[in-house]
């Protein structure tokens, strides 16, 4: 065990909650968490007070304003401003209070819209971004650059990890704001319950996406905390991608229903393809364990048991 105490910022989110489970299993002696109500990470003074009181040895920054393609398009101010505020406060305060290691989470959308596939880390800042999530991507790129600046100028061990599209228990199933995988679980489930065959999906169904289970990501992040100290960004992916239409079919198969896909072409497709090249991480000795089918089955079970299924449905 390298660290006596780790602060997981954003522990109630999809990634943060998986991190807490993983760190507990790995026997981390002290996992520090605060709810949004207890600590507003956008407030610099509050963040400084929290760090001076708790003195974490390591920090994982999994707190962020996140959402799917439509939430990104509808709330560019929040996606840019809140993410900049959160990450500036947490990264700068981590350095000021002598945090030994910080792990900053980026996203696959930091890469150019038309980056060569699979996307290598070297593609960063080599072309224009996907417009629908440019504000979020710019905030994340600023976070990477800030961590790298602390590493270069001050010798800080601040690492930056770029996960692909993540899913799993604890995800957001709100149809307006969610990412595609939980949205499609909800839509196929509702078709099943209502005994309908039609499921309407956004766009053309042809974009390709790669999906990694949050527990696999948490495992990779633990591995990187232990084994990675380079300021160069590093990708974490599953290694395979599928089209959105294929994703609907996998979900329908897991739920045991036959469905017909209807396309709402008034909605955007976004980036045509986002498959990470994760060979840098594979070469270090880490690989994912949870297949897409198993992960969807487990996420669906969570959706049914957690009460998320009965929460407000928006369209
Ligand atoms: O997951 P998603 O919202 O975002 O959408 P991105 C992925 C693809 O699924 C797009 C299609 O082509 C959508 O048009 N899609 C089909 C749907 N039906 C649906 C639906 O019912 N809901 C949703 N949400 N999509 C996000 C970025 O991009 O990826 C974020 O906006 C972040 O910033 C995240 O980087 C990982 O994969 O396109």
């Amino acid at each position: 065990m390298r660290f006596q105490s780790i602060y997981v910022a954003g522990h109630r989110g999809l990634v943060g909650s998986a991190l807490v489970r993983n760190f507990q299993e790995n026997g981390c002696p002290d996992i520090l968490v605060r709810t949004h109500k207890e600590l507003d990470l956008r407030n610099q003074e509050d963040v400084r007070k929290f760090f001076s009181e708790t003195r974490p040895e390591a920090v994982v920054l999994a707190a962020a304003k996140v959402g799917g393609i439509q939430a990104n398009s509808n709330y560019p101010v929040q996606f840019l401003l809140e993410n900049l505020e959160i990450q500036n406060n947490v990264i700068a305060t981590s350095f000021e209070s002598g945090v030994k290691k910080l792990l900053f989470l980026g996203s696959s959308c930091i890469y150019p819209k038309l980056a060569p596939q699979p996307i290598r880390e070297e593609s960063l800042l080599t072309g224009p971004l996907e417009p629908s999530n440019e504000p979020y991507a710019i905030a994340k790129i600023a976070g990477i650059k800030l961590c790298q600046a602390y590493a270069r100028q001050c010798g800080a061990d601040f690492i930056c990890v770029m996960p692909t599209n993540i899913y799993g228990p604890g995800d957001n199933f709100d149809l307006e704001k969610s990412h595609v995988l939980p949205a499609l679980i909800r839509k196929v489930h509702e078709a099943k319950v209502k005994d309908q065959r039609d499921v309407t999906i956004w766009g053309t169904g042809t974009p390709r996406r790669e999906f990694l289970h949050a527990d696999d990501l948490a495992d990779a992040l633990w591995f990187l905390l232990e084994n990675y100290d380079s300021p160069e960004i590093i990708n974490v992916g599953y290694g395979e991608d599928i089209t959105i239409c294929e994703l609907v079919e996998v979900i329908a198969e897991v739920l045991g229903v036959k469905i017909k896909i209807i396309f709402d072409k008034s909605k955007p497709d976004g980036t045509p393809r986002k498959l990470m090249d994760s060979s840098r991480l594979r070469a270090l000795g880490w690989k994912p364990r949870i297949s897409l089918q198993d992960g969807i089955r487990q996420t669906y079970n969570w959706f049914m048991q957690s009460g998320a299924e009965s929460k407000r449905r928006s369209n």
Side-chain angles (χ1 to χ4, degrees):
M1 178 71 42
R2 265 180 72 189
F3 304 107
Q4 286 305 305
S5 63
I6 303 184
Y7 169 44
V8 178
H11 74 288
R12 281 185 159 173
L14 170 64
V15 174
S17 56
L19 281 169
V20 171
R21 289 194 294 277
N22 181 284
F23 292 177
Q24 279 166 345
E25 280 162 22
N26 277 302
C28 179
D30 191 8
I31 304 165
L32 297 165
V33 294
R34 290 293 182 276
T35 62
H36 180 73
K37 215 171 152 198
E38 290 164 341
L39 174 62
D40 183 350
L41 293 173
R42 295 169 301 178
N43 184 312
Q44 194 180 26
E45 245 176 66
D46 290 354
V47 173
R48 282 194 170 137
K49 189 161 171 281
F50 166 73
F51 272 76
S52 76
E53 281 167 9
T54 57
R55 299 257 152 222
E57 269 191 36
V59 171
V60 181
L61 180 41
K65 172 84 180 162
V66 298
I69 192 164
Q70 183 152 300
N72 271 266
S73 300
N74 291 350
Y75 304 103
V77 172
Q78 284 81 356
F79 276 81
L80 182 56
L81 188 59
E82 289 186 23
N83 283 312
L84 285 172
E85 286 171 338
I86 292 169
Q87 68 204 32
N88 285 350
N89 287 338
V90 174
I91 296 167
T93 310
S94 293
F95 179 74
E96 285 162 17
S97 56
V99 163
K100 288 189 189 149
K101 188 168 198 110
L102 177 138
L103 189 157
F104 174 70
L105 274 166
S107 165
S108 56
C109 71
I110 57 145
Y111 293 115
K113 176 178 177 133
L114 300 176
Q117 306 284 322
I119 312 171
R120 295 172 59 84
E121 288 86 349
E122 289 77 10
S123 287
L124 180 62
L125 292 173
T126 55
L129 298 162
E130 153 63 27
S132 66
N133 57 33
E134 194 183 65
Y136 178 71
I138 297 269
K140 287 293 183 184
I141 293 169
I144 294 168
K145 292 296 165 190
L146 186 58
C147 289
Q148 291 177 335
Y150 274 113
R152 197 176 63 224
Q153 189 182 326
C154 316
D157 184 4
F158 287 3
I159 64 171
C160 300
V161 181
M162 301 307 117
T164 192
N165 290 34
I166 305 300
Y167 71 98
D171 212 337
N172 177 0
F173 288 83
D174 177 310
L175 292 180
E176 287 288 326
K177 297 185 183 140
S178 68
H179 289 102
V180 61
L181 193 147
L184 295 183
I185 288 185
R186 162 156 278 181
K187 287 179 179 179
V188 175
H189 166 74
E190 290 182 355
K192 179 179 174 172
V193 171
K194 291 178 194 152
D195 209 13
Q196 284 173 354
R197 283 200 64 203
D198 294 354
V199 169
T200 302
I201 69 165
W202 296 352
T204 61
T206 56
R208 300 185 70 88
R209 294 289 183 274
E210 177 190 25
F211 299 98
L212 182 74
H213 194 284
D215 287 340
D216 268 338
L217 175 64
D219 192 53
L221 298 184
W222 177 263
F223 176 86
L224 288 166
L225 279 170
E226 300 260 286
N227 297 295
Y228 192 74
D229 58 10
S230 163
E232 298 302 323
I233 63 174
I234 185 161
N235 291 342
V236 184
Y238 181 64
E240 289 167 27
D241 62 348
I242 59 171
T243 67
I244 299 304
C245 279
E246 286 165 346
L247 175 65
V248 185
E249 281 155 22
V250 176
I251 293 171
E253 198 184 305
V254 170
L255 271 63
V257 282
K258 288 224 174 317
I259 49 119
K260 180 169 163 265
I261 301 175
I262 312 280
F263 300 94
D264 177 356
K265 291 191 183 159
S266 69
K267 293 282 201 298
D269 268 345
T271 308
R273 191 175 184 201
K274 260 195 294 187
L275 173 65
M276 299 283 222
D277 181 330
S278 304
S279 49
R280 198 176 278 178
L281 178 58
R282 295 288 170 97
L284 293 175
W286 184 88
K287 62 176 191 318
R289 282 182 284 206
I290 306 171
S291 72
L292 187 60
Q293 280 80 356
D294 287 349
I296 288 174
R297 192 169 299 113
Q298 189 229 20
T299 305
Y300 180 58
N301 289 340
W302 182 88
F303 172 70
M304 294 303 288
Q305 285 158 16
S306 64
E309 185 271 334
S310 56
K311 276 200 194 132
R312 187 178 72 85
R313 294 176 175 89
S314 47
N315 218 342

